Amino acid sequence: MITHNETLEKVYTAQNHEELMDAYKDWAADYDQDTVNGYGYTAHIASAQALSRSLDDTEGYILDAGCGTGLVGQELYRMGHSIMDALDYSKEMLDQAMQKNIYQKHLQADLSKPLDLPDNHYHAVVCCGTFTYGHVKADAFAELIRVTKPSGIICFTIREGAYEEYGYRDKMIQLEQEKAWELLEMEDVQYFEQDNVQCKLCTYRVMD
């Protein structure tokens, strides 16, 4: 039996997308149980709350980028946000998200590459748990901005440690200076309660 720590080790030490997808393939069916009940994962709740309070109403079209099994989408749905697409690179995780019956579309795509989505398509993007060790790097910020409408909201987490090591902050500042987006909120929130791991929760507005 694979322990919680061994599972996380496989995910965060993946050397390429193939290894990462293999890890998630093995984990998909148990992901919700392990993360929420096992690790005390709470970042999805904080992310949904941050996005919801920055949106004008519940009718906005939302992309759940790196949706995993749909934990963030589930929280948003409970808050009245029912127009959402799910996007993830793992077919098995998308299959789990599909079972929640909360998304319009289920898109299998790699956030480290250009997305087959039109410009200015969504009112908001939420991206929770994706900017972290062994996952998606800071270059993906520009693509999230591209698919978001002017004045739209982008809300994402960056796990502590990776925030400092992976150049996320430098890229965020660069995009601010280029007037691609403006920072609305940044706060430290709990990521995994079990190990007292935190993350940065960032909310941006896309510039007109």
Side-chain angles (χ1 to χ4, degrees), residues 52-70:
S52 186
R53 66 175 171 258
S54 296
L55 289 174
D56 294 333
D57 57 48
T58 58
E59 297 302 313
Y61 192 9
I62 299 171
L63 175 66
D64 187 355
C67 67
T69 60

Side-chain angles (χ1 to χ4, degrees), residues 9-194:
E9 186 73 12
K10 284 180 67 177
V11 167
Y12 289 134
T13 60
Q15 297 299 305
N16 52 53
H17 277 295
E18 287 71 26
E19 289 185 11
L20 186 61
M21 290 307 101
D22 283 344
Y24 277 124
K25 181 178 180 179
D26 294 339
W27 196 14
D30 298 320
Y31 182 86
D32 289 5
Q33 175 71 21
D34 285 353
T35 54
V36 176
N37 297 329
Y39 311 141
Y41 178 60
T42 55
H44 61 298
I45 299 172
S47 297
Q49 290 171 342
L51 183 67
S52 186
R53 66 175 171 258
S54 296
L55 289 174
D56 294 333
D57 57 48
T58 58
E59 297 302 313
Y61 192 9
I62 299 171
L63 175 66
D64 187 355
C67 67
T69 60
L71 287 172
V72 179
Q74 199 167 32
E75 291 300 320
L76 286 166
Y77 191 81
R78 288 171 182 156
M79 296 174 187
H81 301 278
S82 59
I83 309 172
M84 297 182 289
D85 289 347
L87 183 151
D88 203 275
Y89 194 38
S90 166
K91 180 184 181 300
E92 290 74 19
M93 298 290 269
L94 268 179
D95 287 345
Q96 294 295 318
M98 190 178 298
Q99 292 178 25
K100 290 183 168 65
N101 295 314
I102 56 175
Y103 297 105
Q104 271 67 51
K105 298 177 183 176
H106 302 81
L107 311 169
Q108 187 176 4
D110 185 350
L111 279 171
S112 9
K113 298 177 181 177
L115 300 175
D116 186 18
L117 289 168
D119 295 353
N120 310 325
H121 193 55
Y122 293 98
H123 294 97
V125 174
V126 63
C127 190
C128 181
T130 300
F131 295 115
T132 185
Y133 297 107
H135 284 59
V136 177
K137 296 182 180 175
D139 290 343
F141 289 147
E143 193 66 355
L144 297 186
I145 291 170
R146 181 187 69 78
V147 302
T148 305
K149 293 177 181 292
S151 298
I153 302 298
I154 300 176
C155 183
F156 55 90
T157 62
I158 306 176
R159 183 169 162 163
E160 66 176 358
Y163 178 77
E164 293 82 8
E165 295 172 24
Y166 278 35
Y168 292 118
R169 182 59 183 148
D170 288 343
K171 190 65 174 180
M172 289 157 63
I173 292 172
Q174 177 190 333
L175 291 166
E176 290 172 28
Q177 292 173 339
E178 293 172 356
K179 299 191 184 306
W181 63 10
E182 60 176 342
L183 182 64
L184 299 181
E185 290 183 3
M186 183 188 294
E187 58 180 325
D188 293 317
V189 300
Q190 205 72 16
Y191 195 74
F192 290 137
E193 290 183 344
Q194 184 192 59

